[in-house]
Amino acid sequence: MQDNAEERSDTKKPRHERRKDKKQQKDQKTQKKPKGSSGFTGGFAAVRQVHAASKEHSNARSELKKAESALAEDKKVLDHRIDVTRSYAQIVSEQTKARTNAEKAKAAAERRIEALKEEHDKLAGELEVMRSEHAEALKPFQNVMESTRGRADDTAKLLSEAKKAAKAAQTEANDAQARREQRISAANKAYDNAQARLRKLNADFEELKGRPDTDAGAIARMEQEISAEKAHLESTKADIPLVTDEAQKNVDAAQRHLWNQQQALDSAQKAAEEASTEAKRQKAEYDERYQSFQTEEATLDNDVVQREMGIRDASKDRDTAQANIEAAQKLLDEAEDIHAHPEVTKKLAESVAEKQHLVDIQKQEVSSLARSEKQLRSSTRKQRITFISLLIVIAAVILLIIWFLTH
């Protein structure tokens, strides 16, 4: 019953006092060496006690750090509220002025945006009309350019065909000349062969007549052969001028055809050059007008782009002004709230004072735990050293046993 009454009375004490009483009781218990304890068990108990004291000291330091962090945060908030309370009139004046200036800047930026949008739309419309007009104005020049380019392509194709025809005509004339020489040479050779055969026949005939045993029939046949060869000789002789004349006519025809083709080639060459020159002239005229129109469009397009950049810059100014308005209003709202609720500041100051008191107590407790841990380490040093030495010896013995068993 008495113990229960003591426990109930302890629960009525503040937390830090209860913790202090428990620590004192624990220190008294840990500093008493158990009776009849051996060196090993006493050393083990000493190690456990030191570990427990170290852990409690570490936990206390951790709690102190958290408490100090929370206290610092509350102090920061309290200091801010006190500063705002002291500078309330100045804050209201400055932030009201800042908000007014920001609102004026925002309104000016919005007016600038509207003006630039009107200019942008107007210039964009003018640019669209200009492009349409330029495209319409370029159509005739483009049509003429394309037409002359088409004629130039056609004459270039005709020139290519004329070159092929002239080359074929030249080949044909060369062939005609070669055939003429071949035919004349063949006719002359036939005449020479006929003469040679006739001379041989006459020689054979004279030899035949000089023989005493020559048959009259053989002489008659030889005379017939000589007569036939004479007729063939006259025929080949008559063929020479005929072949020459016919072959020359073929050469003359080929030469006339070649001349005609060369004349056609010259005409095609001239027509192609004229068509190409005209096509280049029309293209140059089209390019000149196109570049002129492009320069006008680029100038107007640059004005449109300048307005777009101005709109972006004005939009940034508007957004900046809006952010400044919101920032000033936020400070005003905060100052009004702090000024209207001084009891919150008072309550926070009381909370800070209480937390400061608890932190001071916690610091004392941490210092006390540090001293207790130090004393405990000092008082149990021999026991812990003995315990650790025994552990080392036991481990060495075990290792030796294992070594002997495995070797």
Side-chain angles (χ1 to χ4, degrees), residues 113-336:
I113 290 171
E114 291 301 321
L116 289 170
K117 283 184 176 179
E118 290 180 5
E119 293 178 9
H120 174 273
D121 295 343
K122 180 176 178 294
L123 292 172
E126 292 177 359
L127 178 60
E128 190 68 24
V129 172
M130 178 184 288
R131 285 173 175 168
S132 178
E133 292 176 349
H134 286 172
E136 194 66 28
L138 280 174
K139 280 185 180 179
F141 296 93
Q142 185 176 4
N143 293 335
V144 173
M145 179 186 68
E146 292 175 352
S147 178
T148 54
R149 184 169 57 193
R151 285 198 298 274
D153 293 340
D154 293 341
T155 55
K157 292 178 182 178
L158 291 176
L159 175 61
S160 177
E161 294 298 327
K163 287 180 179 179
K164 292 179 181 178
K167 185 177 181 180
Q170 182 65 56
T171 302
E172 186 178 349
N174 294 337
D175 292 343
Q177 290 179 353
R179 285 194 300 272
R180 182 191 65 179
E181 299 300 327
Q182 290 174 357
R183 291 186 65 185
I184 292 174
S185 176
N188 288 327
K189 187 173 183 180
Y191 178 71
D192 292 340
N193 291 337
Q195 283 183 325
R197 286 193 301 272
L198 182 61
R199 283 193 298 272
K200 186 175 184 305
L201 286 172
N202 286 329
D204 292 342
F205 181 67
E206 292 298 330
E207 182 183 356
L208 184 63
K209 286 192 301 180
R211 293 177 185 177
D213 58 349
T214 300
D215 185 12
I219 293 174
R221 285 192 298 273
M222 181 63 72
E223 288 177 344
Q224 291 177 356
E225 184 67 24
I226 291 172
S227 177
E229 191 62 38
K230 286 181 178 179
H232 178 67
L233 178 63
E234 291 298 326
S235 175
T236 56
K237 184 177 181 181
D239 285 342
I240 291 174
L242 293 176
V243 169
T244 302
D245 183 63
E246 183 180 355
Q248 186 61 45
K249 287 180 180 179
N250 290 335
V251 170
D252 293 341
Q255 291 290 342
R256 286 194 299 273
H257 179 64
L258 174 60
W259 185 85
N260 291 332
Q261 293 301 321
Q262 288 177 340
Q263 292 298 312
L265 175 61
D266 292 341
S267 298
Q269 183 73 41
K270 184 178 180 180
E273 290 176 355
E274 292 176 352
S276 177
T277 301
E278 179 64 15
K280 291 178 180 178
R281 188 181 69 80
Q282 293 297 335
K283 185 178 185 305
E285 186 174 357
Y286 171 83
D287 290 342
E288 181 180 0
R289 289 185 177 272
Y290 177 80
Q291 291 298 329
S292 176
F293 289 161
Q294 286 294 304
T295 301
E296 293 180 16
E297 292 175 10
T299 301
L300 190 53
D301 184 63
N302 184 62
D303 293 338
V304 173
V305 172
Q306 290 294 329
R307 300 309 185 278
E308 291 175 352
M309 294 175 63
I311 291 172
R312 285 198 296 268
D313 292 340
S315 298
K316 290 180 181 178
D317 293 342
R318 179 192 59 191
D319 295 342
T320 300
Q322 179 62 36
N324 292 337
I325 292 172
E326 293 174 358
Q329 188 61 50
K330 183 178 180 181
L331 293 175
L332 284 171
D333 293 342
E334 183 188 39
E336 291 291 347

Side-chain angles (χ1 to χ4, degrees), residues 1-12:
M1 293 295 294
Q2 184 179 357
D3 292 340
N4 292 335
E6 289 179 354
E7 289 179 1
R8 284 195 299 271
S9 64
D10 288 342
T11 57
K12 295 180 181 180

Side-chain angles (χ1 to χ4, degrees), residues 6-61:
E6 289 179 354
E7 289 179 1
R8 284 195 299 271
S9 64
D10 288 342
T11 57
K12 295 180 181 180
K13 294 181 180 180
R15 181 181 177 185
H16 64 277
E17 292 183 2
R18 294 200 305 271
R19 187 183 297 171
K20 186 174 181 181
D21 293 341
K22 290 180 180 179
K23 182 63 178 65
Q24 290 175 351
Q25 294 173 4
K26 187 174 183 180
D27 290 344
Q28 292 173 359
K29 291 178 181 180
T30 56
Q31 289 174 3
K32 292 179 180 179
K33 183 178 179 181
K35 293 181 179 181
S37 61
S38 65
F40 183 82
T41 56
F44 177 72
V47 170
R48 289 188 61 186
Q49 291 170 1
V50 169
H51 175 72
S54 177
K55 184 177 181 181
E56 186 175 7
H57 181 204
S58 176
N59 292 338
R61 284 202 311 269

Side-chain angles (χ1 to χ4, degrees), residues 62-72 355 358-359 362:
S62 178
E63 290 181 7
L64 174 61
K65 187 175 180 180
K66 292 179 182 178
E68 288 178 336
S69 177
L71 176 61
K355 287 183 178 180
L358 293 176
V359 166
Q362 183 73 9

